[in-house]
Amino acid sequence: MGSLQVFLDRFGPSSQAESGWLQNLFTFVHQHLSPCAGGPAHCAAVDQSAAGASCDQGVCELSVCVVEKIQEQSCLSSSRPVSYRPLSVSELLSQQHLACVSNLSWSTNQHRAWAGEAELSLPGQRALPRVSLLLIGWLREGRGGEWRLADGSGSVRCELTCPSPLWMNRLVFLPHWNYIPHDASGRDQERGHLELIGSPELLRPRAEQGLAAGPGGAGLDGALSVREAAGVLRNRVRGQRVSVVGQVGSVRPLLEVAGSSFFFFCLVEDEQTVPVLVKDSNLWWSQCVCVGLRVCVTALRVCVLRGWRGNNVLCVTDRSQIHTGYTQHHTHTLKQTLEHTLSGTTHSQPHTHSEESEPPPPSPDDHLQMDQEEAEPEEDPVQSGVRIKRSRVISYQGTVTEVVSEGAGLYVLDRKVGLCLAYQPPGRRKLRPGDQVELHHVHFLYRPCPDLPPSMLCCCLGSSLRVTAFSRVGGASCDRSCPGDGVLPRLLLQNNRGVDQYLWTCHLASQLAHSLVPAGPHHPPLPQCVCLLSWKLSETLWTPRGPGPRDIYSEMLDQPHSCPLDQYQVDPCVPQLLSVSELLQSLSSLLPPGGSGLSRSQVNSALSWSCRTLTSDPGTGDGLRPRPLLLVGVLQLPSERSEFRQTLQLRDATAAVGCVATETREDGGQRAAFNTAWIGSLVCVRRFAMVTERFLQSEFPSCQHLDQDRFISHRSGRVYLQFSLDHLVILCPSVTMVTHLRMKGAEPGSDEEESSAMKKRRPDEAVSSSVTMTTLPEGGASLPCVTMVIKVESKGGVAWRNTGMGRDGEAGLELGFSATALLIGPVVSWGRDPRNEPMMEREAGPEREEKVLLVFSGVAARWFPVLQPSSVYRLTALNTQDPSVLIGSSVPGQRGAELHSDSSLQVRSDWRFHTLTRPLLLLHTWTQTPPPPVLTVSQVLDCRSEVVSFQGRISERVGLMARKGRAGHAHTGRHAHSGVRLTMCDQSGRSLCVYLDLSHAPYTPGLLPGNEVLLSRFLRKISRSGGVYCSLSPVSCVTVTSLGDSCRLAPPPPAPSMHLAQWASSRCVQAQVRGHLVCVLHLQLQWSCCRCGSVYTQVCSSRCGSSSSGFRSTAKLVMDDGTAEAHVWLSGQPVQTVLGLADSQWEGLQSAVRVRGHIQVRPRGRSQGTPGDPEDVLLRFLLSLCSSDVISRQLSLTCRKRTNQSSAELRRFSRGDRDFLTRLAPPLQLTCTHLDPPTC
């Protein structure tokens, strides 16, 4: 302890606290920094007593030096910083679990100001907390060019902004540093690292004088310029060693290829460039060189770089050294500085830079303001709207303000500029918010991805990134968009793709993480499969485009520079991924249709049912967008809480939505979805239409009160999707889908196009199946079961039925339906669930006509969407070997009575159905019993059957209001409509009205104009006027079979063209007629009050107080086509067309009528008088207009029969002295629905 007393005596009398602090410091130096701290092996060759004396003296000298340096850096001038305690590296790693900062020279006020400035610049972030710790150790070289701080207990990685080479292998004291422990996910195996926010203090113990000196300094006097070194490269001399001085023009990132690590930096002078290859033990230079710094590198040799087309480069050797701050004009000064430094004189920053050595990077605004002429893109001759641009190489300096995706290498600088580091190898240190960075030779791209900042900076292998100041805040942001191990950058390295495609894939991964991975404080780390799914989806949606394999040496060293970032694609129509919840919110509020001319009854009638569509294809539907939409989710059967029990569901982690799905038949036509293999598959919906139907019961006085909810007594809405299964991309298939795809690819007779399409949809083996959220449990595969193959012949609709037992043991209603199926074979026992494997011979019995009635109720009713007539299924009862569970029970009959009913089978909730498509069936089972015939609308109109099944296209839908005292059923949503009237048509244009009662059935989605539906077992009836219509029966079923042209609500086919005489004897409701306009029987023009419908002049005639009015025009015409005569009623715009008035004339006529409120004209051509003053100018004008030649012309109209058709009447004619009685058919009463432009 003599050396301790000597040490204490050096500092004179001290307080008790300072004496204890000095003793602790001395003990720390003795334990962790003395020459004997390394163990007995260090002193094995030295006499024990001599070694002890030398060690004590060295510890004392070193302790004194440490105290002096601490005193110099401390903010306390009159006392020692006793609150600071020395800490070993092992204690730092094991005890410090939070990010912190230590700065010996700060006062409390300075630290508060520093923390406040940091938190103000980055809102939402907390500044690093301050700790009072001292770190002392040696700066050593680590693996792969790392700098490490080491003492006798261990070592920790150090990050430095621009260190001096003179610091390496020196004992230092760190007065200013940050410590960042392992990241939040715990993936950092190094546990933590130091960030030196100030220069270290070099310690000078006498025992280590001259240890930093080494060979290599002799080459300083003969250093070559860059121009001279370029000549040496051209004329290589074996064994020659040269020293080169120059300015660093570029620094390439550190690479590891085939187990060898290396990096390049280039020295420049005027237009000459010399590349220098650094590898092996000199990799730590990578943090010492930075762009703009003048350096001198000694003992370089010329070598041939085979990977770079055999070009020569300068390569470091074992004796090479690097000296910073070097200029040829100050060689002697640098040598004196070097010798002075090695002799023990230390500085706060030992290396010096000349004023021109490291110029500041240009301002960001100087580079981001692109010249308009240079920024003009080149048009892509192939794709419309897609442009190919060239990037610009710039330098930039900014601050990291957001970590978009650490694993994908995406950041935001200065809150407006994006940064992509994916084209460079990942660095040891990840960027944190608050880091100040300096970028050189970085590519500037404008709008490469619409989901990221418009201005993007992308680093290639020719770019350099240097952190000039470390962040003041602690902790990286939560990164759920991509795993930290960098799955997407590794895929980018394996499959070189365009930067625009990569950026969109990264954003897609973040969207999938939101929609597929449940959010919450205890959610598991983001699986790699989400990134793999995004990569697979982008490969499917994007056309393969890339420059091919990357040549790393050419990318780093070629002049002029060439890399994959030189060109990029700008596509304004890049698909946009939405989660189900975001999609449901996109049309949550519907603006009611306007129209200032609508009356009170017309407004409320129009608002009673309204429909809007949002299609994935931009430019179609009610909402126009520049980008197509995508949806990703799992297809499932409807749950008990589902709003739609007749459709499939698309579910993700945010919400679920009903789906009206169709698929293509073998003959190319469309049919309702029937394949159960889709259930549980993770899919991407590329083309769809989102439909929002709204039901409103209101009493709006006028259209001006639509923003007042007090006039709405009830409202409800239905939101669902419409799409075809052909427009789905399978991202992660279910077990049954794998079998289906495998068998479909092997189907005999399938064409090459179908096979290639299936290959595109074949699942990627690299995608983990853990993402698939299957509806059905997968554990049933190993359970024993019994199965039976059936073919569904018909099914009834889903309805609320009294099953006699509710959920709570009381009587109640449950959803249910029934289906009639043909038994293909007997019940078969299995040791495991065969699912949808190919049909076995033992499952097919002899040809027989045995049928069974399947009854579905409660949970079992969820199978309704996928059970379709003419489809074959394998019915499976799990966890049993008893065949009797699948044998139906017969209805007991009376003696002597013959029963014609089928046996019935109650389907249990845990039974499953698996679709057996054509490749899975035996040949003779496929040819059994052809499907029942399906009629067309024309055949229904002409047939005489009472029960019909037919298919047609919906041309019109009208909601039927509930009668007073009859409210909708509670399970139907209690909307105002008790039913729906559908107008069905076929290709011939003939139409038929179908009435659906919705009071005892759940709402049926997809009943929209433009869709084709299959109506099974409907009642055909004759109206009192002789027309044919159909109505719902208890066993009727409505199935949407086709969604039209890409889910667009296309106009119906034209009505059939008929003569008036032919139409009079036909039951057709709507038709096209062409004839001659004979005369105008009646014309009425009126301004009406929108609230009460009374005549409106300046005010309402009924004094209702309304201030809104609308103009209405009606006319009754006589039309003759040579076969018969018809009275045609027109209203609105067709009246202007018939009168032949221009828009300005029609507006003037409206203004003239507004003064008097209304006018009624009855021309005298039919012996009908016209009330009013015969001298009235307006009246005379209208009478003249109705009798002019403009009226008498050919017209082509589409009309609908009115319901008040009168029957034939007896007429008496006298001819001479004889009277004749005959029946004359009255004129047809028609309402014009469309008027073609008249022809002269």
Side-chain angles (χ1 to χ4, degrees):
M1 297 296 294
S3 58
L4 174 60
Q5 188 62 42
V6 173
F7 170 70
L8 294 176
D9 293 342
R10 292 283 297 271
F11 298 98
S14 302
S15 63
Q16 183 178 359
E18 291 183 348
S19 298
W21 182 78
L22 290 172
Q23 292 179 17
N24 293 335
L25 186 61
F26 182 86
T27 304
F28 174 82
V29 173
H30 182 272
Q31 291 179 353
H32 301 287
L33 302 178
S34 67
C36 298
H42 182 79
C43 305
V46 186
D47 180 73
Q48 185 174 4
S49 60
S54 176
C55 181
D56 291 342
Q57 183 181 4
V59 170
C60 182
E61 294 283 349
L62 181 57
S63 300
V64 172
C65 183
V66 170
V67 174
E68 291 175 352
K69 292 301 180 183
I70 293 176
Q71 194 70 35
E72 291 176 4
Q73 292 292 330
S74 175
C75 61
L76 303 175
S77 58
S78 59
S79 61
R80 296 181 178 88
V82 295
S83 60
Y84 280 80
R85 66 181 180 91
L87 190 71
S88 67
V89 172
S90 62
E91 291 174 335
L92 177 70
L93 296 176
S94 60
Q95 298 178 9
Q96 189 63 36
H97 302 295
L98 297 177
C100 60
V101 59
S102 177
N103 200 322
L104 184 62
S105 61
W106 288 347
S107 65
T108 302
N109 293 334
Q110 288 175 328
H111 175 74
R112 289 176 180 175
W114 176 87
E117 182 182 352
E119 295 177 356
L120 185 63
S121 61
L122 292 172
Q125 300 282 353
R126 299 296 301 272
L128 292 171
R130 186 180 183 183
V131 294
S132 300
L133 300 174
L134 302 175
L135 292 178
I136 308 172
W138 288 272
L139 287 177
R140 304 290 192 192
E141 177 189 359
R143 297 173 302 175
E146 292 179 351
W147 286 60
R148 302 188 71 87
L149 179 70
D151 60 11
S153 64
S155 64
V156 63
R157 178 165 58 90
C158 290
E159 296 294 337
L160 306 94
T161 55
C162 189
S164 169
L166 303 178
W167 299 350
M168 181 57 68
N169 297 320
R170 293 300 304 271
L171 183 64
V172 295
F173 158 62
L174 305 182
H176 320 286
W177 50 269
N178 298 336
Y179 176 68
I180 307 299
H182 62 79
D183 58 357
S185 62
R187 292 187 293 263
D188 191 357
Q189 298 179 357
E190 295 295 333
R191 296 186 294 177
H193 66 273
L194 287 174
E195 296 174 348
L196 271 61
I197 57 177
S199 299
E201 291 291 328
L202 303 183
L203 301 178
R204 187 183 51 86
R206 294 181 180 177
E208 296 194 358
Q209 286 185 8
L211 291 179
L220 294 177
D221 293 330
L224 304 178
S225 66
V226 175
R227 185 179 300 276
E228 294 171 337
V232 174
L233 283 180
R234 290 190 295 267
N235 304 307
R236 177 189 178 193
V237 178
R238 185 177 298 273
Q240 184 182 13
R241 299 293 184 267
V242 296
S243 298
V244 182
V245 60
Q247 186 177 24
V248 179
S250 60
V251 181
R252 310 312 187 194
L254 194 147
L255 298 178
E256 182 178 355
V257 179
S260 176
S261 299
F262 62 92
F263 77 95
F264 288 92
F265 67 91
C266 296
L267 299 178
V268 296
E269 180 183 338
D270 297 334
E271 296 182 357
Q272 293 291 330
T273 302
V274 174
V276 180
L277 171 62
V278 183
K279 59 179 182 177
D280 299 333
S281 60
N282 297 316
L283 293 176
W284 56 273
W285 291 7
S286 60
Q287 297 193 49
C288 298
V289 291
C290 53
V291 177
L293 184 68
R294 291 192 64 87
V295 298
C296 178
V297 188
T298 64
L300 294 174
R301 66 184 180 89
V302 180
C303 64
V304 178
L305 187 60
R306 295 189 180 126
W308 189 33
R309 299 184 296 273
N311 293 329
N312 294 338
V313 297
L314 293 177
C315 182
V316 299
T317 62
D318 295 338
R319 301 178 61 86
S320 297
Q321 288 188 348
I322 186 170
H323 306 280
T324 58
Y326 178 81
T327 61
Q328 288 182 327
H329 300 286
H330 298 85
T331 303
H332 182 69
T333 305
L334 176 61
K335 293 171 62 178
Q336 288 183 344
T337 303
L338 177 62
E339 295 173 355
H340 192 57
T341 301
L342 294 177
S343 65
T345 303
T346 59
H347 305 275
S348 60
Q349 188 161 345
H351 60 291
T352 60
H353 301 284
S354 58
E355 294 181 359
E356 71 279 6
S357 62
E358 189 177 356
S363 171
D365 296 334
D366 296 340
H367 296 288
L368 295 183
Q369 295 178 355
M370 299 183 60
D371 183 62
Q372 184 66 26
E373 183 177 355
E374 292 183 3
E376 187 66 26
E378 301 176 4
E379 294 291 339
D380 192 330
V382 179
Q383 303 182 22
S384 175
V386 178
R387 297 176 293 177
I388 300 297
K389 289 186 176 181
R390 294 192 63 86
S391 62
R392 298 179 59 192
V393 178
I394 66 172
S395 296
Y396 187 87
Q397 186 176 19
T399 302
V400 179
T401 53
E402 181 185 353
V403 179
V404 179
S405 174
E406 181 182 291
L410 296 181
Y411 305 87
V412 175
L413 304 179
D414 303 325
R415 297 187 177 89
K416 62 181 179 179
V417 182
L419 175 63
C420 175
L421 303 179
Y423 286 80
Q424 280 192 346
R428 292 182 300 269
R429 179 188 179 274
K430 305 298 183 181
L431 296 180
R432 296 188 293 116
D435 285 341
Q436 296 182 18
V437 296
E438 182 179 294
L439 300 165
H440 291 278
H441 303 96
V442 62
H443 292 263
F444 173 75
L445 298 80
Y446 189 68
R447 295 192 184 278
C449 178
D451 300 301
L452 295 177
S455 300
M456 289 294 301
L457 300 177
C458 297
C459 294
C460 65
L461 295 181
S463 308
S464 63
L465 181 147
R466 184 172 69 94
V467 178
T468 58
F470 296 111
S471 174
R472 302 180 182 182
V473 298
S477 60
C478 181
D479 180 21
R480 300 185 67 237
S481 58
C482 183
D485 55 0
V487 175
L488 290 178
R490 290 206 307 269
L491 291 173
L492 178 65
L493 182 62
Q494 298 170 6
N495 309 278
N496 191 21
R497 307 189 68 189
V499 60
D500 49 306
Q501 298 178 359
Y502 176 78
L503 294 177
W504 184 81
T505 304
C506 295
H507 176 74
L508 183 63
S510 64
Q511 294 295 99
L512 290 177
H514 168 70
S515 62
L516 296 184
V517 180
H522 303 293
H523 72 271
L526 186 62
Q528 297 184 8
C529 54
V530 173
C531 296
L532 296 175
L533 285 175
S534 64
W535 190 270
K536 172 182 172 59
L537 184 56
S538 64
E539 284 183 335
T540 305
L541 300 178
W542 290 74
T543 303
R545 176 177 55 85
R550 297 172 66 180
D551 188 344
I552 60 174
Y553 297 106
S554 298
E555 188 172 332
M556 290 188 292
L557 303 175
D558 270 354
Q559 293 294 335
H561 175 69
S562 177
C563 73
L565 300 179
D566 288 339
Q567 289 186 348
Y568 62 100
Q569 179 175 288
V570 177
D571 187 359
C573 298
V574 176
Q576 179 182 3
L577 178 68
L578 294 181
S579 64
V580 175
S581 61
E582 291 173 340
L583 184 69
L584 296 179
Q585 294 172 2
S586 60
L587 284 180
S588 58
S589 60
L590 289 176
L591 295 177
S596 59
L598 297 179
S599 65
R600 175 176 183 174
S601 60
Q602 290 174 330
V603 168
N604 293 291
S605 177
L607 294 178
S608 63
W609 177 83
S610 59
C611 174
R612 291 186 64 185
T613 60
L614 174 68
T615 62
S616 59
D617 186 14
T620 62
D622 296 337
L624 303 181
R625 303 166 319 284
R627 301 172 58 185
L629 300 179
L630 297 176
L631 283 177
V632 174
V634 179
L635 283 178
Q636 294 180 337
L637 293 174
S639 62
E640 291 188 84
R641 299 180 181 180
S642 175
E643 184 179 16
F644 300 112
R645 302 297 295 273
Q646 309 100 312
T647 64
L648 295 173
Q649 278 188 338
L650 184 72
R651 177 180 293 276
D652 61 8
T654 62
V657 63
C659 306
V660 178
T662 62
E663 57 183 306
T664 304
R665 297 194 304 260
E666 287 79 1
D667 58 358
Q670 290 288 315
R671 62 173 298 178
F674 70 99
N675 197 341
T676 58
W678 290 97
I679 301 173
S681 296
L682 181 66
V683 298
C684 173
V685 189
R686 298 184 58 178
R687 298 176 62 183
F688 64 90
M690 175 179 150
V691 181
T692 301
E693 298 185 37
R694 185 185 58 184
F695 305 92
L696 206 64
Q697 197 169 3
S698 61
E699 292 294 337
F700 287 109
S702 66
C703 60
Q704 296 180 352
H705 299 79
L706 295 180
D707 56 344
Q708 303 180 20
D709 293 342
R710 59 189 180 93
F711 295 106
I712 301 176
S713 58
H714 176 76
R715 74 172 75 196
S716 63
R718 314 283 182 178
V719 181
Y720 56 91
L721 301 180
Q722 292 187 156
F723 57 80
S724 173
L725 296 180
D726 303 324
H727 299 152
L728 302 186
V729 177
I730 303 175
L731 299 179
C732 189
S734 63
V735 178
T736 53
M737 179 56 71
V738 174
T739 304
H740 171 69
L741 296 178
R742 183 177 67 250
M743 297 306 298
K744 187 170 184 178
E747 179 181 358
S750 60
D751 54 5
E752 294 180 0
E753 295 181 358
E754 182 180 5
S755 177
S756 61
M758 293 310 303
K759 289 180 180 179
K760 292 181 180 180
R761 294 166 56 178
R762 192 173 300 278
D764 190 357
E765 290 78 10
V767 180
S768 173
S769 61
S770 61
V771 182
T772 304
M773 300 170 287
T774 56
T775 302
L776 300 177
E778 296 294 336
S782 59
L783 296 177
C785 61
V786 291
T787 65
M788 179 174 59
V789 179
I790 61 174
K791 182 177 183 180
V792 177
E793 290 191 339
S794 63
K795 71 172 181 177
V798 176
W800 295 101
R801 300 180 181 180
N802 189 356
T803 59
M805 188 65 65
R807 297 181 180 178
D808 300 330
E810 300 178 357
L813 298 179
E814 280 189 337
L815 277 178
F817 72 98
S818 60
T820 303
L822 175 67
L823 301 181
I824 302 297
V827 179
V828 179
S829 299
W830 300 80
R832 62 176 183 84
D833 186 2
R835 290 193 174 94
N836 62 334
E837 293 181 0
M839 186 176 175
M840 308 292 290
E841 290 289 346
R842 58 174 179 160
E843 294 184 273
E847 295 186 9
R848 52 180 179 173
E849 291 295 330
E850 184 177 353
K851 299 182 181 180
V852 62
L853 179 66
L854 302 176
V855 180
F856 300 80
S857 61
V859 179
R862 61 178 181 164
W863 292 104
F864 180 84
V866 292
L867 295 181
Q868 306 297 343
S870 304
S871 299
V872 180
Y873 302 88
R874 178 182 279 129
L875 174 58
T876 305
L878 292 175
N879 203 18
T880 182
Q881 289 286 324
D882 185 10
S884 62
V885 298
L886 294 181
I887 298 178
S889 59
S890 302
V891 179
Q894 299 293 332
R895 180 176 299 177
E898 183 179 357
L899 293 177
H900 295 279
S901 63
D902 301 324
S903 59
S904 62
L905 181 62
Q906 182 72 36
V907 178
R908 300 179 184 177
S909 60
D910 59 341
W911 290 2
R912 301 179 183 178
F913 288 83
H914 295 287
T915 305
L916 299 181
T917 56
R918 182 173 181 178
L920 303 174
L921 297 175
L922 300 177
L923 181 60
H924 65 277
T925 59
W926 176 255
T927 57
Q928 285 182 354
T929 60
V934 177
L935 305 179
T936 63
V937 172
S938 299
Q939 291 173 340
V940 173
L941 292 173
D942 298 335
C943 74
R944 298 187 178 276
S945 301
E946 295 184 357
V947 179
V948 293
S949 296
F950 63 99
Q951 186 170 342
R953 185 177 182 183
I954 302 176
S955 59
E956 184 183 11
R957 170 197 168 117
V958 178
L960 304 179
M961 304 298 294
R963 299 178 182 177
K964 293 183 179 181
R966 180 186 177 186
H969 197 278
H971 296 288
T972 64
R974 298 180 181 179
H975 46 74
H977 293 156
S978 65
V980 174
R981 187 190 73 190
L982 302 178
T983 301
M984 307 290 297
C985 63
D986 55 12
Q987 296 299 325
S988 65
R990 302 179 68 182
S991 58
L992 171 69
C993 290
V994 179
Y995 294 86
L996 304 179
D997 185 6
L998 303 179
S999 59
H1000 298 288
Y1003 185 76
T1004 304
L1007 302 182
L1008 303 177
N1011 288 351
E1012 292 186 7
V1013 295
L1014 172 64
L1015 306 178
S1016 302
R1017 293 185 288 186
F1018 270 65
L1019 299 178
R1020 180 183 180 275
K1021 299 181 179 180
I1022 306 296
S1023 65
R1024 286 178 293 179
S1025 61
V1028 178
Y1029 70 96
C1030 291
S1031 63
L1032 200 68
S1033 70
V1035 294
S1036 299
C1037 180
V1038 181
T1039 305
V1040 179
T1041 59
S1042 178
L1043 304 176
D1045 183 11
S1046 302
C1047 304
R1048 300 175 185 175
L1049 304 181
S1057 180
M1058 288 188 175
H1059 292 293
L1060 293 177
Q1062 178 187 4
W1063 195 3
S1065 59
S1066 172
R1067 292 177 177 175
C1068 184
V1069 178
Q1070 188 171 351
Q1072 291 185 10
V1073 293
R1074 183 180 179 84
H1076 182 75
L1077 179 59
V1078 179
C1079 64
V1080 179
L1081 295 180
H1082 177 264
L1083 175 64
Q1084 180 174 350
L1085 306 177
Q1086 177 178 331
W1087 284 90
S1088 301
C1089 176
C1090 291
R1091 174 178 292 185
C1092 62
S1094 303
V1095 177
Y1096 193 99
T1097 52
Q1098 301 299 324
V1099 294
C1100 179
S1101 59
S1102 64
R1103 307 296 179 182
C1104 67
S1106 175
S1107 60
S1108 60
S1109 60
F1111 183 76
R1112 297 181 180 86
S1113 59
T1114 58
K1116 183 178 180 181
L1117 314 176
V1118 177
M1119 184 178 182
D1120 193 343
D1121 68 345
T1123 63
E1125 191 177 80
H1127 292 177
V1128 183
W1129 296 82
L1130 299 89
S1131 61
Q1133 188 67 29
V1135 177
Q1136 175 189 353
T1137 305
V1138 169
L1139 296 179
L1141 297 178
D1143 292 340
S1144 59
Q1145 295 173 324
W1146 184 249
E1147 292 176 359
L1149 182 60
Q1150 294 181 29
S1151 301
V1153 176
R1154 178 181 284 275
V1155 178
R1156 61 178 65 188
H1158 79 289
I1159 187 171
Q1160 193 175 37
V1161 180
R1162 296 183 184 274
R1164 302 178 182 272
R1166 288 287 175 157
S1167 302
Q1168 296 182 5
T1170 300
D1173 185 4
E1175 301 298 328
D1176 189 350
V1177 177
L1178 179 60
L1179 180 62
R1180 294 178 62 183
F1181 168 74
L1182 292 176
L1183 288 173
S1184 174
L1185 184 63
C1186 292
S1187 58
S1188 64
D1189 295 338
V1190 177
I1191 302 298
S1192 301
R1193 53 184 170 176
Q1194 292 287 333
L1195 291 179
S1196 178
L1197 306 93
T1198 301
C1199 301
R1200 179 184 292 274
K1201 274 186 180 181
R1202 298 173 67 94
T1203 56
N1204 56 345
Q1205 300 289 333
S1206 57
S1207 58
E1209 58 181 6
L1210 285 175
R1211 295 287 301 271
R1212 182 186 296 272
F1213 296 92
S1214 298
R1215 191 68 175 174
D1217 57 349
R1218 295 185 179 184
D1219 293 337
F1220 299 92
L1221 288 176
T1222 182
R1223 290 184 178 272
L1224 291 181
L1228 275 175
Q1229 304 296 315
L1230 306 177
T1231 300
C1232 177
T1233 59
H1234 178 72
L1235 175 63
D1236 294 335
T1239 58
C1240 299

